[in-house]
Amino acid sequence: MNQDLLEILVDIFKSSGYNVIISSQSDIRVEKNGHQAYVMCALKPSYEEIKYFSEKIAACTGIYVMTQKISGKLNEYAAELGIYIWDRDELALQIGRAVLANMERKSSAYQKESEIPLKESQKQVETAPEPTKENREDDGFRQELYSDGRLVPLQDMSREKEKISFESRTLPKPVEGRKPLKRLENSEVSRIEPYDMLNIQSVEPKISKDQAIIISKPYISSPKDAILKFVPFWKYSYSVEAEKRFRSKVMSITGEGEGYLNALNKSKENMDIEGLGTPTRIPAVQYEVKRPNVDKKQAEKVLLELIIQENTREIRFNNMEGQAIIYEQKSISPKANEIELDMDLVYIPVWEVKGKRNSLEINAYNASVLEEPIDEDAEFL
């Protein structure tokens, strides 16, 4: 149901010319003419979810969409946080506008295709009338931004336009008149906690299940479900400092680096991830914590071999022996005891989206599609 609502919202915004982007702060982010807004859809209203949504998007425009009618208290609470509410009635209105916009666009395209060129013998040429003042004003009104860059709200339109409004029709007061948040009694609302806490060192997923399914559509046929997997990695950092003597020359090897070693299949990954910590906040969905196949001692051996290989230098020498020049080439490498290695076991969230015959894995932190299976026993294509 949530996925269906998300697809409806995507169609609504696209019908009004907005670019729709998968967002880590919300379900989707929409952009047009330099203005952007974050959109979050919910099946049931939640005070805590609205507050969390407001904190994630900071001072940006936020739209909270639901399929139910809302109470005045919830609407007032959202207004205090600067969040616009689209409830059942507002959503129905926006769907109707999107349908009309699509119908008019198709009608206009049909008229253009059915125009018949004038015959050569026709002498009378019809010319387009000069635009009237009223038409010029109407064309000018199509600008969707004020001079300060804000979207024109629905209430300010003098004529009906097939546009998306970022102004809720039932806001009890303007957002500018915010007042301190009131303490809400438990009897006012049945609170919904859509998150769990997991006692592993990981990072909160930024991509939701519905977003992962949408991302997977170009890659697999008929994606139906997704499971959140927490894949173990050995997060490491190292520094190397060594001196090697060859004949009369002394050469130094210095270097440092960091990365992730997959604790399931020993593959090395480079990922830029911030916020790893314990415990980890995760969405209340079906999830699986994978058990490491590679322990710390095995991982250390693999990493030392990789680090030594990465820091091996090829040195070429030339020496004069009589009238001849002798060229020599030698490889120099650091030893294991010359490498300082720090390791820590962490878990990276990955969505496995399942289709009819195959599946696709998506990094739940940065939304990147994985080209290789992250687990040896994964059914992956």
Side-chain angles (χ1 to χ4, degrees):
M1 177 65 178
N2 201 32
Q3 182 185 348
D4 294 336
L5 176 57
L6 192 60
E7 291 179 353
I8 290 172
L9 289 172
V10 170
D11 184 64
I12 288 175
F13 283 102
K14 283 188 175 181
S15 68
S16 293
Y18 286 84
N19 292 325
V20 181
I21 304 168
I22 297 297
S23 170
S24 58
Q25 281 89 354
S26 61
D27 288 313
I28 56 174
R29 187 176 83 242
V30 295
E31 294 182 349
K32 186 177 182 181
N33 295 340
H35 183 82
Q36 66 178 9
Y38 293 92
V39 183
M40 181 174 183
C41 57
L43 299 182
K44 296 181 180 179
S46 169
Y47 282 79
E48 293 182 358
E49 192 174 58
I50 291 176
K51 184 175 185 297
Y52 180 65
F53 180 39
S54 174
E55 292 172 350
K56 287 190 74 172
I57 66 173
C60 298
T61 302
I63 306 174
Y64 188 80
V65 185
M66 66 186 72
T67 57
Q68 300 180 2
K69 291 188 177 181
I70 59 170
S71 64
K73 292 181 179 179
L74 180 64
N75 203 14
E76 181 179 353
Y77 179 73
E80 290 173 348
L81 297 178
I83 300 297
Y84 298 114
I85 295 272
W86 282 11
D87 64 354
R88 183 182 184 89
D89 293 338
E90 179 70 18
L91 182 60
L93 176 63
Q94 298 294 352
I95 292 174
R97 290 168 181 249
V99 171
L100 289 175
N102 289 332
M103 289 176 60
E104 289 188 355
R105 187 158 36 248
K106 290 179 180 179
S107 177
S108 176
Y110 176 77
Q111 290 177 1
K112 289 181 179 179
E113 291 177 359
S114 59
E115 287 180 354
I116 302 176
L118 294 177
K119 295 181 179 180
E120 295 181 1
S121 60
Q122 185 176 359
K123 296 181 180 180
Q124 184 179 359
V125 179
E126 296 182 359
T127 59
E130 291 293 328
T132 62
K133 179 180 180 182
E134 180 181 355
N135 290 336
R136 287 195 299 270
E137 291 175 353
D138 182 71
D139 288 341
F141 189 77
R142 294 184 182 179
Q143 297 295 326
E144 297 189 5
L145 296 174
Y146 286 123
S147 58
D148 60 359
R150 295 184 294 112
L151 281 177
V152 178
L154 187 62
Q155 293 91 324
D156 296 342
M157 295 185 178
S158 60
R159 297 177 180 86
E160 286 294 333
K161 297 289 179 180
E162 271 53 64
K163 299 183 179 182
I164 301 302
S165 167
F166 291 129
E167 189 78 26
S168 176
R169 297 182 303 142
T170 57
L171 283 178
K173 60 187 69 178
V175 177
E176 290 75 13
R178 296 183 187 176
K179 57 185 179 182
L181 298 179
K182 298 184 296 182
R183 182 180 296 275
L184 298 170
E185 301 296 333
N186 291 335
S187 59
E188 291 182 303
V189 64
S190 58
R191 298 181 182 274
I192 301 171
E193 179 54 59
Y195 289 90
D196 292 331
M197 300 301 292
L198 196 58
N199 194 28
I200 59 174
Q201 186 171 1
S202 184
V203 65
E204 180 179 350
K206 292 186 176 182
I207 304 301
S208 68
K209 177 179 178 179
D210 294 326
Q211 290 173 329
I213 291 176
I214 291 176
I215 293 173
S216 70
K217 286 186 176 181
Y219 300 91
I220 60 178
S221 60
S222 302
K224 294 183 177 181
D225 195 15
I227 182 174
L228 183 62
K229 301 189 299 185
F230 287 88
V231 181
F233 279 83
W234 287 103
K235 181 179 183 295
Y236 70 91
S237 61
Y238 77 89
S239 62
V240 56
E241 186 172 351
E243 285 190 353
K244 300 295 177 181
R245 184 179 298 275
F246 183 73
R247 294 186 178 178
S248 61
K249 295 184 179 181
V250 176
M251 290 152 288
S252 62
I253 300 175
T254 59
E256 60 182 16
E258 59 183 12
Y260 295 82
L261 182 72
N262 190 317
L264 298 178
N265 57 22
K266 300 181 183 179
S267 64
K268 182 174 172 292
E269 304 286 344
N270 292 319
M271 295 181 286
D272 186 13
I273 296 180
E274 298 179 357
L276 288 164
T278 307
T280 301
R281 175 182 163 119
I282 66 169
V285 297
Q286 181 184 5
Y287 68 87
E288 176 186 2
V289 179
K290 306 293 289 187
R291 186 174 180 177
N293 295 331
V294 182
D295 61 24
K296 188 172 184 178
K297 188 174 181 180
Q298 293 172 322
E300 182 178 9
K301 181 180 179 181
V302 172
L303 287 172
L304 286 175
E305 291 177 356
L306 290 173
I307 293 169
I308 290 174
Q309 183 178 357
E310 290 175 359
N311 290 273
T312 296
R313 307 285 187 265
E314 297 291 336
I315 306 298
R316 189 177 184 184
F317 299 91
N318 52 18
N319 294 316
M320 292 288 297
E321 292 188 4
Q323 299 296 321
I325 300 177
I326 307 299
Y327 293 96
E328 290 187 62
Q329 186 167 329
K330 184 176 181 62
S331 298
I332 57 173
S333 305
K335 296 180 180 179
N337 59 7
E338 296 171 320
I339 300 172
E340 184 176 344
L341 178 63
D342 293 323
M343 300 169 54
D344 201 6
L345 184 64
V346 301
Y347 291 81
I348 306 301
V350 173
W351 284 108
E352 182 182 357
V353 183
K354 299 179 180 180
K356 285 185 176 180
R357 294 182 297 272
N358 52 11
S359 62
L360 182 75
E361 291 177 332
I362 300 171
N363 189 314
Y365 178 81
N366 57 22
S368 63
V369 176
L370 305 182
E371 297 181 357
E372 298 293 336
I374 210 163
D375 190 356
E376 288 182 338
D377 60 357
E379 182 185 353
F380 186 68
L381 182 61

